[in-house]
Amino acid sequence: MQLRSANVTQGPERAPNRALFYAMGYTKEELDRPLIGVVSAHSEIVPGHIHLDKIAEAVKAGVRMAGGTPILIPSIGVCDGIAMGHIGMKYSLASRELIADSVETMTMAHQLDGLVLVPNCDKIVPGMVMAAVRLNIPAVVCSGGPMLAGRYDGQEVSLSKMFEAVGAYKAHLIDEEKLTECETGSCPGCGSCAGMYTANSMNCLCEAIGIALPGNGTIPAVENKRILLAKHAGMAIMHLVENNITARDIINEKSIRNALACDMALGCSSNSVLHLLAIANEAGAPMDLKTFNEMSEKVPNLCHLAPAGPTHIQDLNLAGGVPAVQAELAKGGLIDTSLLTVTGKTVGENIKNAKILDQNAIRPLDNPYSKTGGIQILWGNLAPDGCVVKRSAVAPEMLCHSGPARVFDSEETAIDAIYNGRIKDGDVVVIRYEGPKGGPGMREMLNPTSALAGMGLDKTVALITDGRFSGASRGASIGHVCPEAASGGNIGLVEEGDIIAIDIPNASIHLQVSDEELARRRAAYVAPEPNIKTGWLARYARNVSGADHGAVMQ
């Protein structure tokens, strides 16, 4: 077995390198084994990461048991919930690129033989996976697991209910006492927030794509099985290293399509579109937005997890988890079961005994929530290069909607109008200059969507943005409009009162303004000054691609 780490541990020329390892307490025996980076996003500012020190220690134990030398490496990570609604959210999506670059840097600088990636929350998971396929070395993802659902008003709830409670409070539908009850009851402990939000979406999709062990996306953070999973992840990386099975052996065009099929069945966050595009790009298997609609036409939506429905990730776990979903899809020939995974076995071997244990959480193929998948891409003169909606979280009466545009050039001005009762039934709220370049950073619009839902307007008001939405958003929330306003997109030409027609079943979004009028507006258009002119975000804005290409750095 030829080890990359021999470049820093073997031969007389590497005596200075070994001296530095000895300075840290490594033994010769440890340096003669494969060096495995355990990249942990543990911190004391993210509830999904507060316990990752325990997960990382369990991974390290597994690596040692299987004959490797684990080396702990830190990673940054943003809590999207804490960053929500202010300038901090501009840094969330951008941090994905920093994470990928930093994992690449630490791996190449120290010549590690393999990686166990220990993320949990939104952009950390795809950032680490992007690095793994870019480096194309053996890698396993082991997340920290989902938070248990909280309790509020006698029901199981998760973070989306908390954001919606603010809207209900602003509309005088609940009082301050009820708001506090929700505040103290919705997030009961460590883990990624309990709905099918972006973090849990990506942790489930890591299973579906084969880069994580079964259970990675659904075993609750507080269960003993999460520690057992981490130990097995440490053992699994050693099998991959010994057999030279690399990230691109597992993540490729076919496995990405498997992940996309599971995305549609599970009803994942619309952010999964950005992240799958970015991962595919790094894997050398780029895909376009049309692929998402092709898959949506074939794969039914089998799960209505929060915020689309009342079930949470713990319910999905008890119902059989991602393997049960995969087994159901396999019955219809909707996934490729021959593909290799980090277990060392194929998808088919992993799921041979899997089945649905609770049809309230996972419906069978012959009784889906809808015959089409959870994500839909829309096109039209408002979004010539596409935009994205989480179809499974849209009320039936809002699948087709036409109404007057209420135009805002930032999230802050839109949320002020919503909170102060200036948005009415039938309106189409347009929030622009929040895209990858224009924001910069493509902020999530969870505050506006949750305010509308909390005020009872999610079934009468649509929201369109060149920014994006949290997985916790529900309603006719249409994001990723491309080209974005800051890149000259037509969303920058929309005027107050223009009629916008949305037809989700027919993948259409149209600004009912003539081409001649749009040309007149474009001739008179004056681009606003950039929102951020200095620092890392200014560099990001200069170099980031459009959302239709995954908002990757160029």
Side-chain angles (χ1 to χ4, degrees):
M1 177 173 55
Q2 182 64 40
L3 294 176
R4 179 197 305 257
S5 59
N7 291 326
V8 295
T9 63
Q10 302 302 313
E13 299 84 2
R14 299 307 178 201
N17 309 66
R18 291 195 296 274
L20 293 167
F21 277 100
Y22 295 148
M24 294 180 281
Y26 290 95
T27 66
K28 181 182 183 302
E29 291 79 5
E30 287 175 301
L31 298 185
D32 287 341
R33 296 177 175 185
L35 302 186
I36 306 299
V38 180
V39 186
S40 170
H42 170 250
S43 73
E44 295 181 350
I45 193 63
V46 184
H49 295 181
I50 192 75
H51 65 305
L52 292 188
D53 54 340
K54 309 297 189 300
I55 303 297
E57 283 301 317
V59 168
K60 289 166 66 179
V63 170
R64 288 193 186 99
M65 283 190 281
T69 298
I71 299 174
L72 185 67
I73 296 170
S75 168
I76 65 167
V78 170
C79 176
D80 277 25
I82 294 175
M84 195 72 65
H86 56 89
I87 192 173
M89 181 47 70
K90 294 179 184 288
Y91 287 85
S92 174
L93 182 60
S95 74
R96 186 189 70 182
E97 313 307 304
L98 285 178
I99 291 163
D101 291 350
S102 64
V103 173
E104 176 191 357
T105 299
M106 294 299 285
T107 301
M108 294 303 292
H110 304 101
Q111 293 292 284
L112 302 173
D113 297 305
L115 297 171
V116 180
L117 305 165
V118 186
N120 210 20
C121 291
D122 294 33
K123 311 308 170 293
I124 302 87
V125 181
M128 289 186 179
V129 175
M130 287 164 64
V133 290
R134 180 189 301 173
L135 292 162
N136 195 27
I137 67 170
V140 177
V141 171
C142 181
S143 79
M147 186 185 295
L148 295 176
R151 298 288 298 181
Y152 166 65
D153 208 22
Q155 297 179 329
E156 283 192 348
V157 298
S158 50
L159 187 65
S160 54
K161 180 62 69 175
M162 182 66 252
F163 278 92
E164 292 176 12
V166 176
Y169 175 74
K170 293 284 186 178
H172 307 293
L173 299 176
I174 62 172
D175 58 20
E176 189 170 354
E177 183 178 350
K178 293 297 291 183
L179 182 67
T180 301
E181 180 187 335
C182 189
E183 181 180 335
T184 55
S186 59
C187 296
C190 66
S192 48
C193 297
M196 187 51 84
Y197 312 144
T198 306
N200 291 324
S201 294
M202 294 311 300
N203 286 327
C204 287
L205 295 184
C206 282
E207 273 192 66
I209 212 168
I211 199 70
L213 298 176
N216 178 76
T218 61
I219 297 172
V222 295
E223 284 195 10
N224 66 318
K225 290 180 181 179
R226 179 57 57 175
I227 297 296
L228 301 182
L229 183 81
K231 290 180 179 178
H232 283 114
M235 298 177 200
I237 190 61
M238 295 307 300
H239 172 79
L240 300 182
V241 170
E242 289 161 6
N243 291 277
N244 194 31
I245 298 171
T246 65
R248 291 195 190 186
D249 291 328
I250 291 168
I251 298 181
N252 48 52
E253 182 179 357
K254 290 181 179 180
S255 67
I256 291 169
R257 291 184 70 87
N258 271 6
L260 188 50
C262 285
D263 190 332
M264 295 300 170
L266 288 165
C268 289
S269 163
S270 58
N271 278 317
S272 64
V273 176
L274 285 175
H275 301 324
L276 287 176
L277 287 170
I279 290 166
N281 178 69
E282 293 285 2
M287 62 179 180
D288 60 29
L289 289 175
K290 292 180 181 178
T291 308
F292 287 82
N293 275 7
E294 290 169 7
M295 191 64 72
S296 183
E297 286 300 310
K298 294 193 300 183
V299 180
N301 178 227
L302 305 181
C303 302
H304 261 196
L305 295 141
T311 51
H312 295 89
I313 302 299
Q314 65 199 51
D315 303 306
L316 177 62
N317 187 60
L318 292 172
V322 174
V325 174
Q326 291 176 300
E328 196 65 18
L329 294 177
K331 291 178 184 177
L334 297 170
I335 61 170
D336 187 336
T337 58
S338 70
L339 303 181
L340 184 65
T341 73
V342 293
T343 64
K345 301 176 182 178
T346 65
V347 173
E349 289 171 324
N350 287 345
I351 65 173
K352 66 180 180 180
N353 295 318
K355 60 183 179 180
I356 298 173
L357 302 175
D358 180 358
Q359 293 191 9
N360 291 319
I362 306 171
R363 288 191 176 183
L365 282 176
D366 60 5
N367 183 34
Y369 282 100
S370 68
K371 293 182 179 180
T372 53
I375 298 288
Q376 181 86 0
I377 310 299
L378 313 181
W379 281 275
N381 68 345
L382 189 60
D385 295 336
C387 57
V388 179
V389 63
K390 185 174 178 176
R391 178 176 181 164
S392 60
V394 179
E397 55 265 47
M398 287 299 290
L399 290 172
C400 294
H401 179 77
S402 182
R406 304 297 309 281
V407 184
F408 304 94
D409 287 348
S410 70
E411 178 190 7
E412 287 82 0
T413 53
I415 197 71
D416 179 72
I418 295 169
Y419 281 162
N420 287 288
R422 299 199 296 275
I423 303 302
K424 307 299 182 185
D425 288 345
D427 285 347
V428 178
V429 176
V430 176
I431 306 176
R432 58 195 182 188
Y433 300 105
E434 291 285 6
K437 288 183 181 293
M442 204 179 184
R443 286 194 291 183
E444 288 184 345
M445 302 289 122
L446 179 56
N447 276 350
T449 59
S450 297
L452 292 171
M455 292 175 170
L457 295 172
D458 57 302
K459 296 181 180 179
T460 59
V461 173
L463 197 156
I464 299 170
T465 181
D466 52 9
R468 58 195 176 90
F469 293 105
S470 165
S473 293
R474 61 185 174 98
S477 304
I478 300 165
H480 309 198
V481 170
C482 291
E484 62 175 291
S487 294
N490 286 344
I491 189 172
L493 305 180
V494 180
E495 293 183 358
E496 189 81 7
D498 287 346
I499 301 300
I500 296 175
I502 301 162
D503 186 346
I504 294 174
N506 289 302
S508 171
I509 184 165
H510 197 76
L511 175 64
Q512 295 186 343
V513 172
S514 69
D515 292 343
E516 293 76 15
E517 173 60 16
L518 285 176
R520 184 194 67 77
R521 293 181 189 181
R522 186 170 299 283
Y525 175 78
V526 178
E529 287 288 310
N531 288 323
I532 302 288
K533 299 180 181 180
T534 60
W536 149 240
L537 283 181
R539 296 198 303 276
Y540 177 83
R542 288 194 296 269
N543 295 294
V544 70
S545 73
D548 56 324
H549 292 100
V552 296
M553 292 284 281
Q554 297 175 322

